[in-house]
């Protein structure tokens, strides 16, 4: 009887320990993503039309509106935005200053090796913004010209990788608005940024136009820490509901003047969780529970 009692006690202890281990991930998620607090996100303020300040000092933009809608879908009481230069934005994510990066972040193999991505939410490319009258027929015409860029962005990487090949020089700025201004006052020939950004800036700046767009075949995705697979799944479910109920299309039309193409990543719901064909993608079938 004593042996049986000891065995039963040991089994009970093992059961408690196992239950604690199972509960640990859920407890960690609750601590990192408290349901009763605002959703903490990061963006590069000044990067219109995605995230910027109005003259009255209010945060606005496509990224902000999308984040507010995601928070609503998750039942969170609003959004808390951290302003971060893009060159430092991933370090802030890894150190848990915020929960995710909804700011326009190109999904690349190098980034997917370090963090998790949601499914794509917008197609992109590289836009070359110039003063009106500036012409670019092909990349070879950039030889000898000065190009500006937001430091640490995917546009910066492309310029760095192709500087010697095409013979241009690079001017780096911590805010894309400053990089655009350098072009407008004649310090450089063109500003290189994500194509949606360049197109928007051209509509807001009478003296600017997009002279050339390089199709990269890339998409923007929301970035998460590697250990946040469960939270990513929740956010992706909210994003998919926004695609299917028209919320994301309305936000797109508000900031870009048109609804997204029905075949684009701004409207398409992808199977599984994450960005297909990239590290961190989970092909397990999952259906978003939309209200």
């Amino acid at each position: 009887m004593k042996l049986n009692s000891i065995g039963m006690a040991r089994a009970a202890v093992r059961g408690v320990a196992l239950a604690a281990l199972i509960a640990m991930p859920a407890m960690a998620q609750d601590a990192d993503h408290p349901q009763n607090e605002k959703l903490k996100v990061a963006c590069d303020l000044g990067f219109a039309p995605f995230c910027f300040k109005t003259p009255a000092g209010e945060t606005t933009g496509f990224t902000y509106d999308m984040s507010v809608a995601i928070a609503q879908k998750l039942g969170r009481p609003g959004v808390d935005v951290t302003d971060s230069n893009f060159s430092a934005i991933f370090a802030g994510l890894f150190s848990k200053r915020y929960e995710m990066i909804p700011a326009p972040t190109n999904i690349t193999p190098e980034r997917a090796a370090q963090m998790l991505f949601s499914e794509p939410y917008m197609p992109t490319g590289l836009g070359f913004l110039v003063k009106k009258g500036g012409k670019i027929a092909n990349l070879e015409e950039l030889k000898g010209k000065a190009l500006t860029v937001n430091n640490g962005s995917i546009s910066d990487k492309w310029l760095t990788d192709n500087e010697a090949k095409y013979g241009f020089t690079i001017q780096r700025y911590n805010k894309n608005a400053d990089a655009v201004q350098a072009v407008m006052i004649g310090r450089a020939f063109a500003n290189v940024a994500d194509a949606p950004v360049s197109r928007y800036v051209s509509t807001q700046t009478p003296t600017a136009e997009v002279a050339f767009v390089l199709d990269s075949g890339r998409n923007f995705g929301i970035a998460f820490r590697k250990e946040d697979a469960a939270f990513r799944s929740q956010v992706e479910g909210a994003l998919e509901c926004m695609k299917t109920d028209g919320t994301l299309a309305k936000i797109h039309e508000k900031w870009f003047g048109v609804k997204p193409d029905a075949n684009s990543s701004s409207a398409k719901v992808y199977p599984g969780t994450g960005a297909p064909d990239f590290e961190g993608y989970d092909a397990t079938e999952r259906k978003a529970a939309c209200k």
Side-chain angles (χ1 to χ4, degrees), residues 6 16 20 34 53 61-62 74 92 135 138 142 150 182-183 213 257:
I6 292 172
V16 170
K53 291 276 192 181
F62 177 92
L74 296 177
K135 304 294 182 184
N138 52 59
L142 298 174
N150 192 9
V183 173
V213 174

Side-chain angles (χ1 to χ4, degrees), residues 46-252:
F47 200 53
F50 286 93
C51 198
F52 61 103
K53 291 276 192 181
T54 67
E58 297 178 344
T59 302
T60 190
F62 177 92
T63 291
Y64 180 76
D65 287 353
M66 182 178 73
S67 299
V68 169
I70 288 173
Q72 289 174 344
K73 296 285 188 187
L74 296 177
R76 302 282 290 271
V79 170
D80 183 7
V81 177
T82 296
D83 178 21
S84 173
N85 292 336
F86 204 81
S87 57
I89 204 165
F90 300 124
L93 176 69
F94 300 148
S95 63
K96 298 188 177 183
R97 289 185 61 204
Y98 27 84
E99 299 172 64
M100 66 184 199
I101 302 173
T105 304
N106 281 264
I107 304 170
T108 68
E110 296 80 8
R111 289 172 176 171
Q114 301 177 52
M115 62 197 85
L116 295 177
F117 277 100
S118 70
E119 67 176 48
Y121 70 78
M122 183 180 288
T124 186
L126 296 181
F128 291 73
L129 186 82
V130 300
K131 288 181 72 173
K132 277 196 171 174
K135 304 294 182 184
I136 305 173
N138 52 59
L139 296 175
E140 285 70 22
E141 292 188 359
L142 298 174
K143 185 174 182 179
K145 292 180 170 61
L147 307 180
T148 70
V149 72
N150 192 9
N151 188 23
S153 65
I154 200 70
S155 305
D156 186 2
K157 185 179 187 308
W158 185 90
L159 290 178
T160 302
D161 291 345
N162 290 278
E163 183 177 14
K165 180 178 179 180
Y166 294 111
F168 50 73
T169 58
I170 308 169
Q171 297 177 11
R172 295 178 174 85
Y173 295 82
N174 284 328
K175 293 291 183 182
N176 197 61
D178 295 333
V180 170
Q181 181 64 15
V183 173
M184 296 300 103
I185 63 176
R187 289 182 181 173
F189 174 71
N191 166 244
V192 184
D194 292 302
V197 174
S198 298
R199 292 190 181 105
Y200 176 81
V201 172
S202 70
T203 67
Q204 304 298 306
T205 311
T207 56
E209 63 181 323
V210 179
F212 187 78
V213 174
L214 181 64
D215 183 8
S216 65
R218 290 195 175 111
N219 289 277
F220 293 145
I222 301 172
F224 305 84
R225 291 183 289 274
K226 276 282 191 180
E227 67 271 20
D228 265 351
F231 180 62
R232 175 185 66 168
S233 182
Q234 291 178 8
V235 172
E236 182 156 320
L239 182 62
E240 290 177 351
C241 291
M242 289 163 58
K243 288 181 179 183
T244 56
D245 69 13
T247 300
L248 194 62
K250 289 179 181 177
I251 297 172
H252 189 284

